[in-house]
Amino acid sequence: MTESEDYDITWTMPHCVLTLKLIALSFDIWDGQKLKQGKELSSNNKITALERAPTLLELFGFVYFPACFLVGPIFSFKRYLDFVSDKYPLDRESKSLKKHAVQRLVQGLAYLIAFQVGVSIFNIKYMMSDDFWETSIFYRHFYCGLWAHFALYKYISCWLLTEASCIRFGLSYNGNEVTKDGMVAKWDGCNNIKLMLFEGATKFQHYIDSFNCNTNFFAAEYIYKRLKFLNNRHLSQFCTLLFLALWHGLRSGYYMTFFNEFIIIFMEKEVESIISKTTFYEKIWNSHLKQSVPLWERKHLKKGSPPPPLPFLYLRYFH
């Protein structure tokens, strides 16, 4: 259990992180062997594939990297190996490194404060009381939605603080990108939360894309895509969510939660494809609705992709 208003010590959390790290490491070693045999790998698998197994010292350093072995984020052994081999230009990018680390630190502290304030206002014990159930159903939905949103800030604050630490170490270096200021270093290699997408989510898929990104990447690369032999996308997705539920624990709530995620995503894609293809909606979107979506949120809409259906935009602004 990781969510209550009492004092909790969740000693199993580091083991959850450790489990994913070791599973990913095993697959990366296997991919390295397949690469030596001339077998085809995906572009992402080629990046993380290992030519050799790690030494015992390297394994301990990878598993117990001080910045994030307690709560994550997880990262590939290849990234750790590049870091300890001094392949990242940390001396040259020291100013940029410190700037981004402080930025993430401030954001983490801000979300930590917001979490403390939020859960003090929206109280889970009140939701379990008889007084709460005497209120209207609309109020209860509104209250539960806000409570759940603030409850997630606990995880976000932890990830931001650990990411700040990873950036300060230099582990988060992720190449360079061209901006209006020229070539700048990217420090999002250990990013586990996309804040703008999360706060401006217009559909459930946005929450998946923005929250716990490294675990979602793990699930996609090491579970979902490796179930291709099932020849059924929905079955692969179901098995992936079943793995994530089992990874969380044996309590029934985990399985109910991930089953709900499965049917919500299935429903969302079906409804989105139907609504977005209607001429009426296209006219509304292209006339004035598109301008009501913030610019930073519009950037997440892929070029040529259908606009978010009206119900999801409604949920974004009125949930």
Side-chain angles (χ1 to χ4, degrees):
M1 184 174 182
T2 59
E3 176 54 48
S4 77
E5 294 177 354
D6 298 320
Y7 182 75
D8 300 316
I9 298 178
T10 310
W11 62 271
T12 57
M13 181 65 74
H15 294 77
C16 289
V17 177
L18 176 62
T19 299
L20 295 191
K21 276 188 173 182
L22 293 180
I23 291 175
L25 177 60
S26 301
F27 274 117
D28 291 340
I29 295 174
W30 185 32
D31 288 340
Q33 296 301 314
K34 290 195 291 185
L35 203 59
K36 288 181 179 179
Q37 298 170 7
K39 295 182 179 180
E40 189 65 27
L41 296 176
S42 68
S43 57
N44 287 328
N45 293 154
K46 287 179 181 178
I47 294 174
T48 57
L50 299 173
E51 298 178 355
R52 62 172 179 83
T55 65
L56 184 61
L57 183 61
E58 289 173 337
L59 181 62
F60 276 114
F62 168 65
V63 168
Y64 296 111
F65 190 77
C68 51
F69 79 94
L70 287 174
V71 296
I74 60 174
F75 50 87
S76 68
F77 182 79
K78 188 67 177 294
R79 170 172 292 279
Y80 173 77
L81 204 58
D82 289 343
F83 167 69
V84 296
S85 301
D86 293 327
K87 291 186 178 181
Y88 297 155
L90 303 185
D91 292 334
R92 189 187 70 203
E93 301 290 346
S94 60
K95 290 184 178 180
S96 173
L97 179 152
K98 294 176 183 177
K99 174 185 174 182
H100 283 81
V102 171
Q103 181 182 15
R104 274 322 209 194
L105 174 62
V106 172
Q107 290 174 340
L109 293 174
Y111 269 85
L112 189 59
I113 294 172
F115 165 71
Q116 295 294 340
V117 173
V119 296
S120 65
I121 298 174
F122 302 98
N123 192 292
I124 191 172
K125 291 181 179 178
Y126 171 61
M127 289 192 292
M128 302 295 291
S129 67
D130 294 334
D131 292 339
F132 180 73
W133 289 99
E134 291 176 0
T135 60
S136 69
I137 188 172
F138 299 104
Y139 176 81
R140 293 201 301 268
H141 275 284
F142 181 77
Y143 191 99
C144 289
L146 287 175
W147 170 83
H149 195 80
F150 279 110
L152 293 178
Y153 281 10
K154 175 175 66 175
Y155 304 97
I156 293 175
S157 62
C158 288
W159 291 332
L160 289 172
L161 293 174
T162 54
E163 185 186 353
S165 182
C166 288
I167 294 174
R168 191 63 186 86
F169 271 104
L171 182 70
S172 292
Y173 178 75
N174 199 25
N176 300 303
E177 64 177 346
V178 180
T179 66
K180 61 181 180 180
D181 299 321
M183 189 74 72
V184 297
K186 295 194 298 181
W187 298 99
D188 58 354
C190 294
N191 178 268
N192 209 28
I193 177 71
K194 294 180 173 63
L195 291 177
M196 301 302 285
L197 182 58
F198 174 81
E199 296 293 357
T202 58
K203 56 183 181 179
F204 195 82
Q205 185 64 47
H206 287 165
Y207 283 105
I208 296 176
D209 294 339
S210 63
F211 188 82
N212 205 0
C213 302
N214 285 287
T215 300
N216 290 335
F217 178 81
F218 169 91
E221 291 296 326
Y222 294 100
I223 307 297
Y224 177 77
K225 292 183 180 179
R226 294 175 190 268
L227 294 174
K228 190 176 181 180
F229 64 90
L230 295 176
N231 294 320
N232 188 305
R233 184 180 63 184
H234 296 308
L235 182 58
S236 297
Q237 185 182 6
F238 181 82
C239 291
T240 302
L241 293 174
L242 180 62
F243 166 82
L244 290 175
L246 181 62
W247 172 63
H248 277 81
L250 298 176
R251 293 177 182 268
S252 60
Y254 294 130
Y255 298 87
M256 180 60 68
T257 297
F258 283 101
F259 178 70
N260 283 337
E261 178 179 328
F262 175 77
I263 59 178
I264 288 171
I265 289 297
F266 182 83
M267 178 276 296
E268 184 175 87
K269 290 181 179 179
E270 292 295 316
V271 173
E272 186 175 17
S273 63
I274 294 172
I275 295 178
S276 300
K277 291 178 182 178
T278 61
T279 305
F280 174 73
Y281 185 75
E282 283 290 341
K283 288 181 179 179
I284 295 178
W285 173 256
N286 292 322
S287 60
H288 61 274
L289 183 60
K290 191 174 185 178
Q291 303 305 318
S292 67
V293 180
L295 178 61
W296 56 264
E297 192 170 325
R298 271 180 264 162
K299 292 179 180 179
H300 295 293
L301 297 175
K302 296 180 180 179
K303 188 176 182 181
S305 64
L310 281 169
F312 303 132
L313 281 176
Y314 175 82
L315 288 174
R316 159 67 181 92
Y317 294 106
F318 300 101
H319 77 287

